[in-house]
Amino acid sequence: MKSLLSAVALAGLSEAALRFGCFKHQNGSYQQVPIMANDALPPGIQGGMTIYYTQQDFFSNGNQKITSFPKGFRMTAGKVTATSKYSKGLKFVCLQNKSTRFPELDEFPTQKCVGGIMTVHHFPACWDGKNIDSPDHQSHMYDTINDAFVNAGACPASHPVRVPQVAYETLWDTAKFNNMPWPTDGSQPFVLSYGDKKGFGTHADYMFGWKGDALQRAMDSSCMFNACENGRPLKSQQPAQMNACKVKSSVDEKLDGWLSELPGMGM
Ligand SMILES: *[C@@H]1O[C@H](CO)[C@@H](O)[C@H](O)[C@H]1NC(C)=O
Ligand SMILES: *[C@@H]1O[C@H](CO)[C@@H](O)[C@H](O)[C@H]1NC(C)=O
């Protein structure tokens, strides 16, 4: 059987904003947790996220029409202020290795994960067909997510247009902190930079950025994963080109080394 991650889904141009993850040391200082490359992607890629656009699931493209997002389209998943489970699509995986995909958890694992921790953001798959954005960046979409990487159900009349199911995977190299002293009260030491120790406030932004009708052509094609490359119908970049395509950091705070406060807390 094909391992879920032996196959890369279509990774296109898009933009995501993820907050920094930190390890809280017993003396109260923080260190940033680096992200690492997924093993589904070609070797040599430095960090980054893996972005999936699935028509149905990992095993079939199905046969329903999937409509590409239009130019200028945006949406978000999750809410930074959430203190309980916000959406079915926001998940965490305690990695044994980079191919671990189950079980998916609703909050940060509390045990030490030898392969790190993966954050998964599944976006909604039904669009109202009219608005490329909305004031809360979410109400133009309808969340049909059944479960991780499971086909979205039928779209409701209010949001009738079935769009690609977008999912982000981010792998955090938390394992490098497993030999440091951990809290003795059974809690886990990782915290998102806005002070979230549970992960309920995890969130992601999506901005459509595919060239021309490339995404629509991919959705109309029966190709899956790497078989979509080499002009059938997409072109892919080599790792060196991918690594060179970086967004300049817009963070104006110190992030390396020992931090006395969480970055982004306005202190
Ligand atoms: C915690 O320990 C590190 C390493 O010794 C040190 O750099 C940092 O300043 C300490 N933090 C506090 C709050 O004492
Ligand atoms: C990775 O971990 C999974 C369990 O999450 C296990 O089934 C699989 O065999 C492991 N793969 C390797 C290469 O060790």
Side-chain angles (χ1 to χ4, degrees), residues 34-144:
I35 57 173
M36 52 186 177
N38 209 325
D39 67 356
L41 300 170
I45 295 175
Q46 294 155 4
M49 298 187 307
T50 312
I51 301 170
Y52 294 83
Y53 290 81
T54 51
Q55 287 113 304
Q56 179 165 303
D57 56 31
F58 277 143
F59 306 101
S60 167
N61 285 328
N63 51 21
Q64 65 176 317
K65 170 74 181 176
I66 307 292
T67 303
S68 167
F69 306 106
K71 196 161 178 252
F73 178 89
R74 294 172 175 224
M75 62 179 162
T76 62
K79 188 166 132 189
V80 66
T81 53
T83 52
S84 59
K85 187 173 154 72
Y86 180 75
S87 154
K88 273 177 117 173
L90 308 173
K91 298 289 186 181
F92 300 94
V93 180
C94 181
L95 300 175
Q96 300 307 305
N97 56 59
K98 288 182 175 178
S99 302
T100 306
R101 288 298 173 275
F102 303 100
E104 287 199 313
L105 311 169
D106 291 332
E107 56 185 277
F108 283 151
T110 50
Q111 74 272 38
K112 291 183 178 176
C113 301
V114 295
I117 294 176
M118 181 170 72
T119 321
V120 194
H121 297 94
H122 293 278
F123 285 86
C126 296
W127 173 46
D128 71 8
K130 297 181 196 113
N131 299 296
I132 57 171
D133 198 359
S134 48
D136 65 359
H137 310 297
Q138 297 190 352
S139 49
H140 58 315
M141 301 299 289
Y142 180 84
D143 204 345
T144 57

Side-chain angles (χ1 to χ4, degrees), residues 20 22 30-33 249 251-259 262-264:
F20 295 95
C22 290
Y30 299 91
Q31 269 185 308
Q32 190 183 342
V33 179
S249 171
V251 178
D252 60 358
E253 288 178 86
K254 173 177 141 76
L255 298 172
D256 296 325
W258 293 80
L259 309 171
L262 284 172

